[in-house]
Amino acid sequence: LSNQVEADVFISIHGNAIDGRPDKNGIETYYYAPNTDAQLYAQSAVRASLAQHISDGLGMTTGRPSEVRKANYAVLRENNHPSVLVETGYLTNAEEEALKQQQQNNNNSAYVPPSGTGYLTNAEEEALLATDEYRQKLAEGIFIGVVTYLNQY
């Protein structure tokens, strides 16, 4: 859809998770601009700039660690316009952790979470993400980043 409407920017917002790492936390803003794709590589500076401005805005409004990273995610790779994927924090889900433990105990296999859900990682960030106040800070940080990015053009 972003490609069809020729959006100025594309932002995909998520909650992150990493199995077995309750110590992992913080906000991550991803972009993708490999030198193997001429169209995306030509946008590397603007994609990196968008990611950095959003990361800076998020760090400012939330007071949480915020990093820029590169990753080959489909929403970034398939988008023809400057695009980022924002991981707003590391989620936990006690119910899903129980399902994970049950599945592993029953058949000794790796747990695959249902599509679209998070699983155990960071209780502190889950608590923050459950509040309207923190989600508002995230929205404001993304807004500040986009406005700062757009104002340079």
Side-chain angles (χ1 to χ4, degrees):
L1 181 61
S2 172
N3 290 335
Q4 292 172 351
V5 298
E6 297 193 23
D8 291 327
V9 298
F10 176 86
I11 302 165
S12 184
I13 302 171
H14 301 260
N16 209 347
I18 185 168
D19 200 14
R21 291 284 313 273
D23 61 313
K24 187 76 172 138
N25 63 57
I27 301 165
E28 296 167 335
T29 304
Y30 291 90
Y31 75 98
Y32 184 63
N35 60 7
T36 56
D37 182 314
Q39 181 179 3
L40 296 182
Y41 188 66
Q43 296 178 8
S44 61
V46 294
R47 286 174 177 246
S49 176
L50 176 61
Q52 190 62 61
H53 285 299
I54 289 174
S55 181
D56 291 348
L58 287 163
M60 181 178 60
T61 59
T62 66
R64 305 284 300 169
S66 184
E67 298 179 356
V68 172
R69 297 179 179 220
K70 292 181 183 180
N72 184 3
Y73 294 129
V75 295
L76 304 177
R77 179 181 62 247
E78 302 301 325
N79 208 303
N80 297 332
H81 308 286
S83 55
V84 296
L85 185 147
V86 178
E87 295 284 7
T88 58
Y90 285 79
L91 306 174
T92 65
N93 183 323
E95 180 180 337
E96 199 164 308
E97 178 61 13
L99 289 171
K100 175 182 173 181
Q101 286 302 118
Q102 181 182 14
Q103 181 177 344
Q104 287 176 333
N105 292 339
N106 288 344
N107 61 14
N108 200 24
S109 66
Y111 177 70
V112 178
S115 177
T117 62
Y119 53 93
L120 179 68
T121 56
N122 189 293
E124 178 186 1
E125 289 190 347
E126 178 188 29
L128 283 171
L129 287 163
T131 68
D132 290 340
E133 178 184 0
Y134 187 71
R135 289 192 307 269
Q136 181 64 36
K137 288 179 180 181
L138 290 167
E140 290 171 4
I142 292 169
F143 172 78
I144 289 168
V146 170
V147 168
T148 303
Y149 165 79
L150 292 174
N151 282 340
Q152 66 185 349
Y153 297 103

